[in-house]
Amino acid sequence: MSDKEKDIIEETEGEVETACEAEAEAPAETEETEAPAKEKKCDKKSKAKIAALEKELEELKKQNEELNDKYLRIMAEYQNFRTRSQKEKDGIYSDALADSLKEMLPLFDNFERAAQFTEAEKVAEGLAIILKTVPDVLAKMKVEAFGEAGEQFDANIHNAVMHEENEEYGENVISEVFQKGYRTGDKIIRYAMVKVAN
């Protein structure tokens, strides 16, 4: 029994004793015959009140245990959810990385084949073939290239590193591309590095 439970029982017993003393001090109609009856009545009341309080205390203990058990189960489920989510997140990253590299492996193979040649013409031919396959690889990975001369400059996707006055182009038009930009969906992977006219 906890200290709080003991305090509740002692307090209740004190209240019952005070009530019994008050009844005992009240003037009796017949002093000798009424006193033992009052004491028995007081004892019965106090015992009944204590029994009712003990029963209520047991019910509250049971409710407390049920709520505590429910709380512990919910916490365990939440911890399992967090662990499972972290594993899934790690797995998604690993799978995406593996899929991306898998699409790029043919490029690496072609570079190795091109490196075996010593004649300049064969090397140039091999590089031209590799460059033709790059757009296909990027398309499979859902990566789109952007940033061409003649496009309208957009500060959200282009990085202007130079500016020139040129009558051939309109205002805020890209006149030269130093490095293409790449994006997948709405996410920019790399901003296009450009020269802007006018």
Side-chain angles (χ1 to χ4, degrees), residues 2 16 22-23 25 33 42 63 77 102 118 128 130-131 138 144-145 154 162-163 170 185:
S2 72
V16 170
E23 281 183 25
E25 290 176 2
T33 56
C42 192
Q63 284 179 350
E77 285 178 22
K102 182 181 172 186
T118 54
I130 292 170
L131 283 174
L138 292 176
E144 176 189 352
D154 182 354
M162 293 181 75
H163 181 266

Side-chain angles (χ1 to χ4, degrees), residues 2 9-10 69 89-90 109 116 128 132 151 156 169 185 192:
S2 72
I9 291 172
E10 287 174 8
D69 184 54
K89 183 179 173 185
D90 293 343
D109 294 339
Q116 292 173 357
K132 285 181 185 176
E151 287 181 5
N156 295 318
Y169 296 99

Side-chain angles (χ1 to χ4, degrees), residues 9-25:
I9 291 172
E10 287 174 8
E11 186 178 313
T12 305
E13 288 174 346
E15 289 174 7
V16 170
E17 286 175 13
T18 305
C20 288
E21 287 172 4
E23 281 183 25
E25 290 176 2

Side-chain angles (χ1 to χ4, degrees), residues 112-178:
E112 285 179 355
R113 288 185 198 109
Q116 292 173 357
F117 293 104
T118 54
E119 299 173 24
E121 288 180 22
K122 292 278 187 184
V123 171
E125 187 179 318
L127 288 175
I129 292 170
I130 292 170
L131 283 174
K132 285 181 185 176
T133 62
V134 169
D136 294 336
V137 171
L138 292 176
K140 286 180 184 176
M141 294 169 57
K142 297 181 181 172
V143 175
E144 176 189 352
F146 62 89
E148 298 288 333
E151 287 181 5
Q152 190 69 27
F153 174 76
D154 182 354
N156 295 318
I157 59 172
H158 300 117
N159 182 14
V161 293
M162 293 181 75
H163 181 266
E164 71 172 342
E165 295 296 327
N166 191 331
E167 300 281 329
E168 294 178 23
Y169 296 99
E171 190 173 335
N172 271 349
V173 173
I174 297 171
S175 60
E176 189 176 346
V177 177
F178 300 115

Side-chain angles (χ1 to χ4, degrees), residues 65-75:
E65 287 174 7
E66 288 173 1
L67 290 172
N68 192 35
D69 184 54
K70 188 176 182 180
Y71 167 76
L72 291 174
R73 288 177 190 274
I74 290 171
M75 287 302 294

